[in-house]
Amino acid sequence: MSNFFTSSLGKKLIMSLAGLFLCVFLVVHLGINLLLLSNDKGEVFRVAVHFMTTNILIKIMEIFLFGGFLLHIIYGVIVQIRNWMARPSGYAVSNNSQTSFFSKYMIHTGVIIFIFLAIHMANFYFVKLGITTPLEGGSNPVQDTHDFYNMAINLFTTPAYSIFYLVCMIFLSFHLLHAFQSAFQTMGVNHPKYSPIIKWIGNIYAIVVPAGFAFIPVYFLFFYN
Amino acid sequence: MNFTLKIWRQESASSKGRFETYKISNISDECSFLEMLDQLNEQLVDKFDKPVCFDHDCREGICGMCSLYINGRPHGNDSGITTCQLHMRRFKDGDTIVIEPWRAKAFPILKDLVVDRSAFDKIAQEGAYVSVNTGGIPDGNAIPVPKVKSDLAMDAAACIGCGACVATCKNASAMLFVSANVSHLALLPQGKIEAKERVTKMVAKMDELGFGNCTNTGACEAECPKEIKLSNIARLFREYYVASIS
């Protein structure tokens, strides 16, 4: 058991479990984000944010969430470094084997998502903690650093930020298109009848969730006034 | 048929390698890939050049000795075959063919296209066997094996240990090889007795020898000359988890 967490298989299991936990988090996050679309000057959204930032159970889950992110990122990097080390000199002709396309770029899409995450934290969470300041400009200058509604509107009505956000969601989708079903394979779930269903659910998840996030800046750029 | 061959030449394990270009002509389309290389070597020997070293043995796709990374694919541009079963009719006249050795930290190049695959033997020595004393033949009906399981075990046992899975994997991972060995024994009653010890020791050796991790890309399954399935890797994961927690 002591060797389990340092073995290649153990590291992959931790990555996959942490990844699936993050998938659940994304659904919760998307649910709250979609409240931005209700036409009530952010009343419902603020209630939801107030609950998420004050409820004790959510506070406890927040620690698990940071743990999940850290495990997934740290193990992802460790695993990738070992993978690069396993082939010190590459081939002259690049590989022509039939593979799933997105699986080959997990570290690349992962790095893009990590950069997005860092900027996202700087724009919201760290503003609340007083570590960073909200973005200058935008239609709704932020007065209150605890008012996530104004911060969100302010960012989403800034075209440059919205485009950056959209591009990041596309890469998140690429990451998830492999990640979801791959996590089940790593957990040892491979069945002639059920695996195609898992892949199908994974593909729907990987398209619907990022598309849901991406719809919000599109709405604020074109339909909000 | 005429071909331009770009072949990796490397004097020894420690020396630096390079590509050499050779022209070869009048090759029959019924010629196998290795026979084509034999003809090249005869030409080289006639000119007092050193022949190209490559591994081969049975030349009928069962021994697992032949290797070669041909135009970006192990065992060439065909599915379910080894390099010795590849024929020149699969190429177009005048093609340039790039031939490289397997590349992985765990498979060091010995000379030209020959790599040292004893890492696989070392993994196999950790448990790809059943420890039984010889004796009288047991009655066939004494140990019932479901047909489905015996088929799966047989499919996994088809692994010839050629290393194409490692060669094509972007991480040079040996998971398909290890999973085939673990699966074929874990599925059968005779192999269950040592199943936990086997999977733990084989995975530990695989990690120790410097193979990469599995990203579930499926390249190994696509290139395996014996068409070993990715479901074996899922079984390896299951066997390993069960062995670790119990």
Side-chain angles (χ1 to χ4, degrees):
Chain A
M1 193 68 197
S2 58
N3 295 329
F4 181 78
F5 295 105
T6 50
S7 73
S8 58
L9 279 71
K11 281 184 278 192
K12 287 290 295 186
L13 180 69
I14 292 164
M15 265 185 78
S16 66
L17 291 176
L20 284 178
F21 175 61
L22 297 179
C23 283
V24 176
F25 155 75
L26 276 184
V27 174
V28 177
H29 196 322
L30 174 63
I32 293 167
N33 277 21
L34 288 173
L35 298 177
L36 284 167
L37 301 176
S38 77
N39 207 0
D40 57 2
K41 301 274 180 228
E43 202 176 315
V44 187
F45 182 77
R46 285 196 183 94
V47 172
V49 169
H50 180 75
F51 175 77
M52 294 304 283
T53 48
T54 51
N55 185 282
I56 184 69
L57 289 175
I58 304 289
K59 281 284 186 199
I60 294 166
M61 278 311 288
E62 204 173 62
I63 297 162
F64 283 99
L65 180 63
F66 283 124
F69 269 112
L70 280 178
L71 281 178
H72 192 70
I73 293 165
I74 291 169
Y75 273 90
V77 170
I78 291 172
V79 161
Q80 184 60 54
I81 288 170
R82 174 161 177 116
N83 291 347
W84 280 325
M85 278 164 53
R87 178 167 294 128
S89 53
Y91 292 105
V93 181
S94 60
N95 194 290
N96 282 323
S97 304
Q98 276 284 314
T99 56
S100 59
F101 175 78
F102 299 114
S103 65
K104 292 195 276 191
Y105 304 102
M106 293 305 277
I107 188 69
H108 311 93
T109 50
V111 166
I112 292 167
I113 296 162
F114 178 74
I115 292 167
F116 171 78
L117 185 69
I119 292 172
H120 188 64
M121 295 289 279
N123 284 337
F124 290 95
Y125 195 78
F126 293 160
V127 171
K128 191 187 83 172
L129 298 179
I131 299 168
T132 53
T133 51
L135 199 73
E136 295 288 319
S139 63
N140 256 357
V142 176
Q143 310 293 339
D144 179 5
T145 55
H146 283 65
D147 187 356
F148 279 30
Y149 181 78
N150 264 351
M151 285 191 250
I153 302 285
N154 197 30
L155 284 169
F156 285 145
T157 48
T158 312
Y161 179 83
S162 289
I163 288 162
F164 163 75
Y165 190 95
L166 287 175
V167 170
C168 287
M169 287 307 116
I170 290 168
F171 284 109
L172 175 65
S173 179
F174 288 174
H175 196 76
L176 291 170
L177 277 168
H178 175 68
F180 193 94
Q181 53 90 17
S182 172
F184 284 89
Q185 163 82 4
T186 301
M187 291 193 297
V189 181
N190 187 312
H191 189 276
K193 201 194 285 176
Y194 303 118
S195 287
I197 300 172
I198 292 171
K199 278 187 186 168
W200 193 72
I201 295 169
N203 288 345
I204 291 177
Y205 177 92
I207 292 163
V208 168
V209 170
F213 281 109
F215 177 70
I216 298 163
V218 171
Y219 171 82
F220 281 105
L221 274 184
F222 297 109
F223 306 108
Y224 177 77
N225 44 41
Chain B
M1 298 175 88
N2 305 315
F3 299 102
T4 305
L5 306 172
K6 286 181 77 178
I7 301 177
W8 184 261
R9 302 301 305 263
Q10 185 169 332
E11 201 50 49
S12 67
S14 54
S15 61
K16 211 170 166 336
R18 80 219 164 269
F19 279 101
E20 291 281 343
T21 306
Y22 303 95
K23 297 267 184 197
I24 190 157
S25 48
N26 294 323
I27 297 290
S28 158
D29 62 352
E30 290 177 8
C31 184
S32 84
F33 198 83
L34 296 186
E35 284 164 347
M36 183 273 295
L37 286 179
D38 290 338
Q39 291 187 37
L40 172 74
N41 277 344
E42 278 176 26
Q43 284 181 23
L44 291 174
V45 170
D46 283 347
K47 288 190 285 181
F48 299 102
D49 278 341
K50 283 180 183 165
V52 177
C53 288
F54 59 91
D55 272 326
H56 61 102
D57 193 4
C58 75
R59 300 212 176 192
E60 55 184 15
I62 55 170
C63 76
M65 263 322 274
C66 60
S67 55
L68 306 186
Y69 192 83
I70 302 157
N71 287 344
R73 283 187 74 182
H75 297 304
N77 193 23
D78 243 337
S79 295
I81 58 154
T82 53
T83 297
C84 61
Q85 295 169 299
L86 179 67
H87 288 81
M88 298 317 292
R89 56 178 170 266
R90 297 289 290 132
F91 296 89
K92 284 202 276 296
D93 191 23
D95 270 1
T96 297
I97 306 170
V98 184
I99 310 168
E100 298 176 72
W102 284 177
R103 288 191 188 276
K105 188 185 163 210
F107 288 169
I109 297 170
L110 296 177
K111 188 175 168 60
D112 295 341
L113 302 169
V114 178
V115 299
D116 178 5
R117 283 172 282 186
S118 58
F120 269 11
D121 301 333
K122 287 176 190 150
I123 296 174
Q125 282 160 10
E126 294 296 311
Y129 52 80
V130 178
S131 316
V132 283
N133 296 317
T134 52
I137 302 164
D139 178 64
N141 292 320
I143 313 169
V145 179
K147 173 79 171 117
V148 178
K149 292 223 167 156
S150 82
D151 284 352
L152 286 172
M154 194 62 200
D155 289 348
C159 172
I160 51 175
C162 66
C165 45
V166 175
T168 193
C169 176
K170 74 178 180 70
N171 310 332
S173 168
M175 287 287 276
L176 196 67
F177 168 77
V178 175
S179 75
N181 281 279
V182 165
S183 283
H184 116 248
L185 293 169
L187 284 159
L188 299 174
Q190 294 90 339
K192 282 215 161 67
I193 296 144
E194 295 164 295
K196 286 180 188 173
E197 194 189 349
R198 174 183 305 113
V199 69
T200 312
K201 285 170 77 177
M202 286 182 83
V203 167
K205 184 56 86 176
M206 171 184 83
D207 287 350
E208 180 198 317
L209 293 170
F211 291 102
N213 303 278
C214 181
T215 309
N216 305 325
T217 64
C220 53
E221 184 185 45
E223 295 303 345
C224 177
K226 297 300 154 190
E227 300 179 323
I228 309 260
K229 294 277 165 270
L230 224 48
S231 51
N232 289 299
I233 294 183
R235 188 176 295 105
L236 171 65
F237 276 120
R238 290 200 296 275
E239 290 286 324
Y240 188 72
Y241 300 152
V242 169
S244 297
I245 58 170
S246 59

